[in-house]
Amino acid sequence: MTLRRLVVLRHAKSARPPGVADVRRPLAERGQRDAPAAGRWLRDADCVPDLVLCSPAVRARETWDLAAGELPAGPRTRHDPRLYGADAADLLAVVRETPDDVATLLLVGHNPALEEFVLLMASEGLGDTLQRVEEKFPTAAIAVLTQQKSWPEAAPGGSLLTDVAVPRGTGR
């Protein structure tokens, strides 16, 4: 059985311009610095995805575009409206639809759903990874889960949380 990796990336820090609908909120300056750092972390940790499922919200799309710019090749990307406003159960349903040829899947979305999803999926974590997610899953945070089952068989408690990172960019 193939080992599958599920990588979860929370969008980077967003701005809150007056009069702009939530789905259209762009990244803040800090988010524009942190998103490429997330891409570098994915590259350096050898977590380059085969498929990316990204929320259609502007801040999530901008996060992924900036992160992807740091990767050697652009993975297949789909903007899935179900990731905006999702809860943990919704995210699990989306993951279960992943094609079999995908070994590493990346979800780019929002809290609290992503944090709840990581905690739902992880039966245990290496080191203090579970505790770190329970305490806070900040903007631009990345969680890496592994599982031995196929995507349609993904189940609560069926994954190991192997890594948690909060990449930060440097100032401009």
Side-chain angles (χ1 to χ4, degrees):
M1 176 71 43
T2 304
L3 185 66
R4 311 224 182 249
R5 265 190 319 194
L6 175 56
V7 183
V8 175
L9 169 60
R10 182 176 175 199
H11 67 77
K13 182 75 176 166
S14 60
R16 295 187 178 271
V20 174
D22 183 73
V23 73
R24 301 198 55 82
R25 287 176 32 220
L27 290 180
E29 260 188 61
R30 188 177 99 198
Q32 292 171 9
R33 291 190 306 266
D34 292 348
R40 289 189 295 277
W41 188 92
L42 292 169
R43 180 194 65 218
D44 296 347
D46 196 27
C47 279
V48 176
D50 301 308
L51 176 64
V52 177
L53 300 177
C54 183
S55 163
V58 169
R59 60 193 178 275
R61 293 173 71 113
E62 288 179 348
T63 297
W64 176 241
D65 289 347
L66 290 168
E70 301 294 325
L71 302 178
R76 295 182 311 208
T77 302
R78 287 200 315 249
H79 296 95
D80 191 324
R82 296 175 295 174
L83 272 63
Y84 181 75
D87 63 21
D90 297 330
L91 295 175
L92 178 55
V94 169
V95 166
R96 286 179 172 159
E97 296 173 5
T98 302
D100 193 51
D101 67 332
V102 174
T104 300
L105 172 65
L106 173 66
L107 299 180
V108 183
H110 312 272
N111 252 8
L114 290 181
E115 179 178 328
E116 293 166 357
F117 178 68
V118 170
L119 296 172
L120 172 74
M121 297 305 291
S123 58
E124 58 184 308
L126 297 182
D128 66 348
T129 54
L130 275 173
Q131 179 184 350
R132 290 176 60 204
V133 173
E134 287 170 352
E135 288 172 2
K136 188 172 185 181
F137 197 66
T139 55
I142 299 169
V144 181
L145 298 145
T146 59
Q147 66 179 37
Q148 299 220 340
K149 295 187 177 195
S150 69
W151 295 116
E153 297 172 316
S159 300
L160 172 67
L161 181 59
T162 60
D163 212 339
V164 174
V166 184
R168 293 293 183 226
T170 53
R172 282 200 244 211

